[in-house]
Protein backbone atom coordinates (compact mmCIF):
# COMPACT_ATOMS: atom_id res chain seq x y z
CA UNK A 1 0.00 0.00 0.00
CA UNK A 2 1.40 3.41 -0.92
CA UNK A 3 1.58 6.40 1.37
CA UNK A 4 -0.68 9.39 0.86
CA UNK A 5 1.09 12.36 -0.77
CA UNK A 6 2.57 15.00 1.49
CA UNK A 7 0.47 18.17 1.71
CA UNK A 8 1.74 21.18 -0.21
CA UNK A 9 1.61 24.41 1.77
CA UNK A 10 1.39 27.75 0.02
CA UNK A 11 2.12 30.95 1.93
CA UNK A 12 -0.45 33.63 1.20
CA UNK A 13 0.02 35.91 4.23
CA UNK A 14 3.70 36.82 3.95
CA UNK A 15 3.56 39.50 6.65
CA UNK A 16 2.36 37.02 9.27
CA UNK A 17 4.78 34.36 7.99
CA UNK A 18 7.78 36.68 8.28
CA UNK A 19 6.68 37.81 11.75
CA UNK A 20 6.41 34.17 12.87
CA UNK A 21 9.94 33.48 11.59
CA UNK A 22 11.27 36.46 13.55
CA UNK A 23 9.53 35.28 16.71
CA UNK A 24 11.05 31.82 16.53
CA UNK A 25 14.52 33.15 15.69
CA UNK A 26 14.82 31.94 12.10
CA UNK A 27 17.02 34.12 9.93
CA UNK A 28 17.76 33.83 6.22
CA UNK A 29 21.02 35.36 5.02
CA UNK A 30 21.48 36.33 1.39
CA UNK A 31 24.95 36.78 -0.08
CA UNK A 32 25.96 38.83 -3.08
CA UNK A 33 26.93 36.37 -5.88
CA UNK A 34 29.75 38.69 -6.95
CA UNK A 35 31.36 38.54 -3.51
CA UNK A 36 34.74 36.77 -3.45
CA UNK A 37 35.66 34.78 -0.36
CA UNK A 38 38.82 32.73 -0.18
CA UNK A 39 39.66 30.76 2.94
CA UNK A 40 43.25 30.70 4.14
CA UNK A 41 44.63 27.23 3.34
CA UNK A 42 45.28 25.27 6.53
CA UNK A 43 46.74 22.12 4.97
CA UNK A 44 44.00 20.00 6.58
CA UNK A 45 40.99 18.40 5.01
CA UNK A 46 37.50 19.68 5.57
Amino acid sequence: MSRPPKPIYKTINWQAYNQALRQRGSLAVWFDPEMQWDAVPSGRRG
Side-chain angles (χ1 to χ4, degrees), residues 5-38:
K6 287 187 173 184
I8 297 173
Y9 299 103
K10 186 173 183 179
T11 303
I12 54 175
N13 188 348
W14 285 101
Q15 185 177 8
Y17 177 76
N18 288 332
Q19 183 63 34
L21 289 178
R22 282 190 216 102
Q23 286 178 351
R24 74 176 201 191
S26 179
L27 175 66
V29 178
W30 295 83
F31 293 102
D32 183 6
E34 297 178 8
M35 181 177 71
Q36 294 280 328
W37 184 80
D38 296 317

Side-chain angles (χ1 to χ4, degrees), residues 1-7:
M1 184 159 55
S2 63
R3 293 183 180 183
K6 287 187 173 184

